[in-house]
Amino acid sequence: MREFRSRVAFYLEDVTTSIGLTVNLVILGLILVSLGIYVAQTYPLPETLQFWFRQLDLGILTLFTLEYCIRFWCAESKIKFIFNIFSIIDLLSILPLFFGIFDIRYFRIFRWFRILRIIRFFGSRGSIFQVKTADQLVFTRILLTLFSIIFVYAGLIYQIEHPVNPEVYRTFFDAFYFAVVTMTTVGFGDVIPLSDGGKFVTVLMILTGVVLIPLQISDLTKQLLRSNSRIENPCPKCGLSSHDTDANFCKNCGTKLT
C-alpha cells in the first residue's frame, strides 16, 4: 500500500513521464474550463445553457475535491501538506461545494503556476519550445502573476459589488476592467464601488498595483536586456541554444563552444 501511495503521489507531481504529464495537463485543462464557466455565468445566458454549465462545474468541483483528498492521503506529512500554499489554494477552490455563500472559484487560477514546471521540463528538452528556457519561465511567471492577481481581484469585486450595484458591475468583464484601471492607477472614475467591502478591495487593488506592477515590469525589463546580450550558439553536447556573447564554455554543461 505504501508503494502504491508513493506511485500515485509521484504521478500527481511528475511531468517527465507520459502518465504524469497527462494528469497535470488534464488538471490544468479542467481549471481553465472551470474559470471559463465562471466568467460565462456572469452573462445573461439561456436557462438550458446555465443548467449544463452548473452541472459541468459541479462535476469539475467534485473531481477537484477528490484530487485534494488523494493528495492529502498521499502526503507524508499531513500538517505540511495542509499549510502548503498550493494546498490552501486547492482547498479554497473546493469550498463552494460545501459552502455556497460566497463563490471563490476564481482562486483556482493560481493553480496555473504549476505550468512553470511543465515549461521548465519541455524547455530543457528543447523539443517543443524553441525560445530560451530561462526567458520562458520569467515571462510566464510575470504574465501569470499579473493576470492571476487581476483576475482574482476582478472576481472579488464582482462578488461584492454585483448584488448591490448590478447596473454598473453587470458582468465579469466590467469587474475586470475596473481591476485593470484601478491597479494601474489610471482611475477613470466611470466605475466605482458602493459597498464598504468593495471600497476595501479597491484600496487593496491600488496598494497591490503600486507595489507589484513596477516590480514585475522591472523583472521583465532585466530579462529582456539579458536576452539581448545573448547570441545563438548551440552547445554541441547538451544543445542549449543561446549563450552570452563572450561565453567560451556552455553554462549548462561546461562544454567548450565553437
Side-chain angles (χ1 to χ4, degrees), residues 34 38 41 54 57-58 60-62 64-65 88-108 159:
S34 175
Y38 170 76
Q41 286 179 327
R54 286 194 296 268
D57 191 61
L58 180 62
I60 293 175
L61 196 55
T62 303
F64 283 151
T65 304
I88 294 173
I89 294 172
D90 290 347
L91 183 60
L92 289 174
S93 71
I94 65 176
L95 285 180
L97 184 63
F98 307 100
F99 308 100
I101 301 175
F102 196 75
D103 194 347
I104 50 176
R105 284 175 289 169
Y106 41 85
F107 273 88
R108 294 172 193 163
Q159 289 291 309

Side-chain angles (χ1 to χ4, degrees), residues 9 30 44 52 54 56 60 78 86 105 123 140-141 154 162 170 180 184 189 194 199-200 236 249:
L30 289 176
W52 286 111
R54 286 194 296 268
L56 179 58
I60 293 175
K78 309 300 183 186
F86 280 123
R105 284 175 289 169
T140 306
R141 176 181 58 79
H162 179 71
R170 296 165 299 176
V180 172
T184 54
L194 296 180
K199 293 176 182 178
F200 177 73
F249 297 91

Side-chain angles (χ1 to χ4, degrees), residues 56-74:
L56 179 58
D57 191 61
L58 180 62
I60 293 175
L61 196 55
T62 303
L63 290 175
F64 283 151
T65 304
L66 178 62
E67 181 211 357
Y68 181 86
C69 294
I70 293 175
R71 288 183 183 275
F72 180 80
W73 174 66
C74 293

Side-chain angles (χ1 to χ4, degrees), residues 24 26 50 61 91 113 118 149 185 192 206 219 248-249:
N24 279 272
V26 168
Q50 288 275 15
L61 196 55
L91 183 60
F113 279 92
I118 299 176
I149 291 178
T185 64
I192 59 173
I206 296 172
D219 287 346
N248 293 318
F249 297 91

Side-chain angles (χ1 to χ4, degrees), residues 15-17 21 116-126 129 133 137:
V15 295
T16 62
T17 63
L21 182 61
L116 294 175
R117 293 178 304 161
I118 299 176
I119 293 176
R120 183 181 293 111
F121 169 64
F122 278 120
S124 64
R125 288 175 55 177
F129 298 98
T133 306
L137 294 174

Side-chain angles (χ1 to χ4, degrees), residues 1 9 25 31 43 54 59 70 72 85 103 108 117 132 141 147 159-160 162 169 174 188 198 200-201 221 235 258:
M1 178 61 70
L25 289 177
I31 294 169
Y43 289 82
R54 286 194 296 268
I70 293 175
F72 180 80
I85 182 63
D103 194 347
R108 294 172 193 163
R117 293 178 304 161
K132 296 172 280 294
R141 176 181 58 79
F147 185 78
Q159 289 291 309
I160 295 172
H162 179 71
Y169 295 89
D174 294 327
F188 290 125
F200 177 73
V201 172
T221 303
C235 173
T258 57

